[in-house]
């Protein structure tokens, strides 16, 4: 499929220097990782709010731990898709910053180098009592929630649940990159979870050109300067092709 991109978008691609990719679960969908919401979201039966909170963890730590363990297995058995790879490739042409809500490491594995992780990382875990950190491979043999070797406390994934603060350095790094960006791509996110969803709005207010890539319209569509509807793994490689043409390759 060859897309006919709008002229104003092509113009921005020719003059842009700093580019931000604000990404969500949809970019990893084509790697086989289920999204949270949207028509394809397989956690549809269970609201993320019912599992992704500290209260849910304290009510049923084994259930929440098993959910993360299940997702770790999916992530460990998959690889970055054409969308992640296209974003990494664009570093040849632009100063690219990835600001992701995903915890799956696929941007890093694809080769992106400047990444802000707003909602943590599934590879890291910590004891809720003494805050000792553990990497996931050290914990994989256990069934049910593991306990801290030092104090016996429950170990949780180092991710951001509802009602919890985002890591300040990651959010402020993402916010600054958005403010300085010439183009802000918003890829595969329903843009309903805050404060993350302020990132593209911050970019827009600072004069960036906001381009949404999603299989369906979202809460952000009316703010976007340009919306491209389709799969990220198909559209992003086409954007790389156009950029190569613009740069005379
Ligand atoms: C494709 C595709 C393909 C499919 N190609 N596209 C302001 C207003 C209202 C509420 C709040 C507010 N400020 C704060 C809140 C409360 C709350 C919140 O936002 N609630 C709303 C949901 C109502 N926010 C918080 O609690 C945050 N913390 C906070 O505010 O702290 C301050 C505070 C502290 C103490 C007291 C009070 C305040 C924390 C939010 C943490 C979110 N955590 C999760 C779990 C992370 C760990 C994990 O992964 O398990 O983050 S929830 C889940 O949602 C996860 C995601 O990162 C996040 C966003 O989801 P995402 O990525 O957008 O995925 P989907 O599934 O929603 O969308 C996928 C999209 O892809 C769809 O659009 C598809 O169409 C598309 N798609 N295939 C392109 N191939
Ligand atoms: Zn401990």
């Amino acid at each position: 499929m060859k897309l006919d991109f709008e002229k104003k978008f092509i113009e921005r691609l020719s003059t842009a220097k700093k580019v931000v990719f604000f990404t969500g679960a949809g970019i990893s969908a084509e790697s086989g990782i289920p999204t949270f919401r949207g028509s394809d979201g397989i956690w549809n039966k269970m609201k993320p709010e019912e599992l992704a909170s500290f209260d849910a963890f304290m009510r049923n730590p084994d259930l929440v731990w098993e959910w993360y363990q299940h997702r770790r297995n999916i992530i460990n058995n998959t690889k970055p898709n054409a969308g992640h790879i296209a974003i990494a490739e664009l570093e040849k042409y632009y100063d690219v910053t990835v600001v992701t809500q995903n915890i799956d490491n696929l941007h890093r594995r694809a080769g992106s180098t400047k990444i802000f992780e707003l909602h943590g990382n599934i590879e890291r875990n910590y004891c809720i009592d003494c805050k000792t950190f553990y990497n996931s491979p050290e914990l994989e043999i256990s069934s049910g929630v593991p306990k801290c070797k030092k104090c016996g406390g429950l170990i949780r994934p180092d991710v951001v649940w509802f009602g919890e603060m985002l890591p300040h350095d990651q959010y402020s790094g993402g916010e600054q990159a958005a403010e300085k960006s010439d183009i802000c791509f918003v890829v595969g996110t329903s843009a309903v979870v805050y404060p993350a969803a302020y990132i593209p709005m911050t970019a827009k207010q600072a004069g960036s050109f906001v381009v949404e890539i999603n299989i369906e319209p979202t809460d952000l569509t009316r703010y976007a300067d340009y919306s491209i509807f389709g799969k990220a793994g198909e559209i992003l490689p086409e954007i790389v092709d156009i950029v190569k043409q613009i740069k005379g390759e």
Side-chain angles (χ1 to χ4, degrees):
M1 179 181 60
K2 275 278 162 258
L3 285 161
D4 236 346
F5 293 116
E6 265 183 31
K7 190 162 168 267
K8 58 179 183 175
F9 173 51
I10 309 273
E11 281 166 8
R12 274 286 172 139
L13 282 175
S14 352
T15 56
K17 291 197 165 50
K18 292 180 187 290
V19 176
V20 161
F21 284 89
F22 175 63
T23 65
I27 190 154
S28 297
E30 290 158 79
S31 291
I33 302 178
T35 61
F36 296 92
R37 308 171 190 84
S39 43
D40 278 356
I42 78 148
W43 314 122
N44 276 343
K45 287 172 228 108
M46 195 90 94
K47 284 192 177 158
E49 290 82 343
E50 285 163 18
L51 285 172
S53 78
F54 189 71
D55 284 352
F57 180 68
M58 291 315 282
R59 262 197 312 273
N60 196 341
D62 286 340
L63 172 76
V64 174
W65 183 261
E66 290 302 336
W67 183 49
Y68 280 94
Q69 207 53 350
H70 169 67
R71 291 170 62 202
R72 268 186 206 105
N73 288 338
I74 298 174
I75 291 164
N76 289 343
N77 288 307
T78 189
K79 51 185 196 310
N81 64 54
H84 300 103
I85 292 164
I87 293 174
E89 211 179 335
L90 286 170
E91 289 195 11
K92 283 189 211 143
Y93 310 100
Y94 301 106
D95 176 357
V96 175
T97 305
V98 175
V99 184
T100 190
Q101 299 167 87
N102 300 343
I103 60 170
D104 60 22
N105 272 305
L106 291 184
H107 285 297
R108 191 166 293 112
R109 283 168 61 191
S112 285
T113 55
K114 217 194 290 178
I115 306 170
F116 292 104
E117 295 176 318
L118 302 184
H119 292 159
N121 191 304
I122 199 166
E123 277 302 301
R124 290 187 311 259
N125 309 272
Y126 64 91
C127 166
I128 63 169
D129 292 330
C130 75
K131 317 291 179 224
T132 298
F133 274 84
Y134 295 89
N135 285 328
S136 294
E138 302 167 37
L139 301 167
E140 259 165 28
I141 24 147
S142 54
S143 77
V145 66
K147 310 276 175 1
C148 177
K149 283 185 204 134
K150 288 194 184 152
C151 77
L154 299 177
I155 292 174
R156 60 164 283 178
D158 186 14
V159 298
V160 181
W161 284 329
F162 285 105
E164 295 182 331
M165 306 291 277
L166 277 61
H168 179 72
D169 57 332
Q170 301 297 302
Y171 188 80
S172 67
E175 192 178 38
Q176 281 167 32
E179 276 166 357
K180 290 188 201 139
S181 68
D182 302 304
I183 306 180
C184 176
F185 288 95
V186 181
V187 188
T189 175
S190 55
V192 294
V193 174
Y194 287 87
Y198 288 129
I199 294 285
M201 293 180 190
T202 301
K204 171 126 176 137
Q205 277 158 14
S208 188
F209 189 78
V210 176
V211 181
E212 180 179 45
I213 300 174
N214 201 301
I215 51 171
E216 59 193 21
T218 69
D219 283 14
L220 193 93
T221 304
R222 63 201 164 101
Y223 291 100
D225 292 292
Y226 184 35
S227 292
I228 311 172
F229 295 113
K231 290 185 173 178
E234 292 172 5
I235 292 167
L236 288 166
E238 289 204 31
I239 292 175
V240 174
D241 288 347
I242 293 285
V243 170
K244 283 182 177 164
Q245 275 180 37
I246 292 170
K247 306 284 176 186
E249 284 184 13

